């Protein structure tokens, strides 16, 4: 169960956020003051932080820029300060998302899920980069060099987009990945907002991996859910 810290001095808003996220299976700890929040962060790191900017004993922007929270902990600003200047400053000094009050509870849940998902994928990409090479289904992928070595010794070049996509599959073998997860992994969501745009990328990758890309064995479609890499992976 993901653990979320909420730094919010407005009790009504804090209760609304707690009720909304608890219903979705998240564990939440509430803090009204910056000092108590900082003490708890030093004791235990959460999976995500929701941070108000206007606090009785400080400013949330100062917290974002303080270095107290490691980059591995995503942070989402939830505030009544909705000026473009505040948003730009908040995002530039470390916020992963910025939500202005009043907000729709469903939007809050969606944004929390998206930020947590991006954090998970970033960690998986980091782990993949540490290994760089992986053996799967008779192939050896070099994610640093963007190349594949085939079962017959053939060398196949990959584009950066294909490498990112393959890396997402290699980090989650035998697990269904949704189109949204794959778009996030290839950093394509901002430019290509439609989930179906990932289908063309998968098709291109299949042409390089499969004997018959129209009857794929390695990367299979799970209808209504996404795609799955049907091979075990050994990191080299």
């Amino acid at each position: 169960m993901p653990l979320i810290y909420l730094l919010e001095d407005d009790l009504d808003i804090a209760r609304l956020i707690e009720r909304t996220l608890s219903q979705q299976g998240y564990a939440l700890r509430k803090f009204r003051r910056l000092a108590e929040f900082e003490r708890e962060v030093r004791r235990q790191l959460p999976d995500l932080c929701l941070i108000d900017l206007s606090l009785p004993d400080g400013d949330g922007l100062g917290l974002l820029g303080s270095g107290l929270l490691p980059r591995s902990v995503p942070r989402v600003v939830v505030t009544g300060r909705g000026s473009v200047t505040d948003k730009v400053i908040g995002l530039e000094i470390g916020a992963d998302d910025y939500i202005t009050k009043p907000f729709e509870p469903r939007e809050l849940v969606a944004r929390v899920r998206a930020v947590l998902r991006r954090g998970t994928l970033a960690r998986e990409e980091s782990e993949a980069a540490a290994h760089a090479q992986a053996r799967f289904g008779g192939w050896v992928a070099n994610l640093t060099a963007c190349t594949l070595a085939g079962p017959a010794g053939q060398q196949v070049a990959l584009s950066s987009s294909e490498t990112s996509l393959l890396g997402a599959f290699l980090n989650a073998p035998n697990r269904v990945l949704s189109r949204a997860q794959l778009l996030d992994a290839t950093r394509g969501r901002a430019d290509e907002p439609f989930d179906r745009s990932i289908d063309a990328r998968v098709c291109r990758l299949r042409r390089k991996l499969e004997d018959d890309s129209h009857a794929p064995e390695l990367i299979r479609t799970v209808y209504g859910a996404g795609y799955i890499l049907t091979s075990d992976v050994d990191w080299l």
Side-chain angles (χ1 to χ4, degrees):
M1 178 185 296
L3 174 62
I4 297 175
Y5 285 1
L6 169 63
L7 180 56
E8 171 62 68
D9 65 318
D10 187 309
L11 290 178
D12 290 335
I13 292 177
R15 291 191 190 103
L16 171 63
I17 292 175
E18 181 179 35
R19 182 170 63 252
T20 299
L21 294 181
S22 296
Q23 290 172 349
Q24 301 299 319
Y26 297 105
L28 193 81
R29 293 182 189 171
K30 304 192 299 292
F31 306 90
R32 295 189 66 189
R33 294 184 175 273
L34 185 58
E36 60 182 358
F37 174 87
E38 291 176 341
R39 283 196 299 271
E40 188 64 13
V41 165
R42 292 188 178 97
R43 191 186 70 84
Q44 180 183 6
L45 288 174
D47 296 297
L48 180 142
C49 293
L50 300 174
I51 300 170
D52 188 14
L53 296 185
S54 301
L55 300 163
D57 59 340
D59 190 294
L61 288 176
L63 171 63
L64 290 173
S66 68
L68 174 67
L69 292 168
R71 285 306 310 162
S72 59
V73 177
R75 65 293 307 265
V76 176
V77 170
V78 184
T79 181
R81 287 157 57 175
S83 72
V84 172
T85 299
D86 281 326
K87 291 179 181 179
V88 169
I89 292 174
L91 292 168
E92 284 186 344
I93 66 175
D96 293 282
D97 204 347
Y98 196 108
I99 302 172
T100 55
K101 305 170 186 174
F103 55 84
E104 278 288 334
R106 288 179 299 174
E107 180 185 3
L108 174 69
V109 171
R111 288 177 179 265
V112 164
R113 284 176 176 164
V115 171
L116 286 171
R117 184 172 64 239
R118 288 197 297 269
T120 298
L121 289 168
R123 287 192 296 272
E124 290 175 348
E125 286 183 0
S126 178
E127 292 170 2
H131 295 287
Q133 294 190 73
R135 182 182 291 113
F136 68 101
W139 293 87
V140 174
N142 187 320
L143 300 180
T144 301
C146 298
T147 59
L148 284 167
Q154 70 271 34
Q155 294 292 316
V156 179
L158 297 173
S159 68
S160 59
S161 176
E162 291 165 347
T163 302
S164 296
L165 181 60
L166 179 58
F169 283 119
L170 294 176
N171 277 299
N174 301 302
R175 194 175 89 197
V176 177
L177 296 177
S178 68
R179 290 179 174 85
Q181 289 173 309
L182 293 171
L183 278 170
D184 282 337
T186 56
R187 296 184 175 89
R189 181 172 291 276
D191 298 324
E192 300 184 57
F194 302 106
D195 284 355
R196 292 292 176 180
S197 66
I198 202 67
D199 295 347
R201 301 185 188 190
V202 171
C203 184
R204 289 195 296 269
L205 185 58
R206 278 173 169 167
R207 291 193 192 109
K208 296 185 176 183
L209 287 172
E210 306 279 1
D211 292 331
D212 182 356
S213 62
H214 297 292
E217 294 294 329
L218 273 176
I219 300 177
R220 293 185 177 178
T221 302
V222 180
Y223 292 100
Y227 296 95
I228 185 171
L229 176 68
T230 61
S231 171
D232 293 332
V233 175
D234 294 319
W235 290 99
L236 307 177

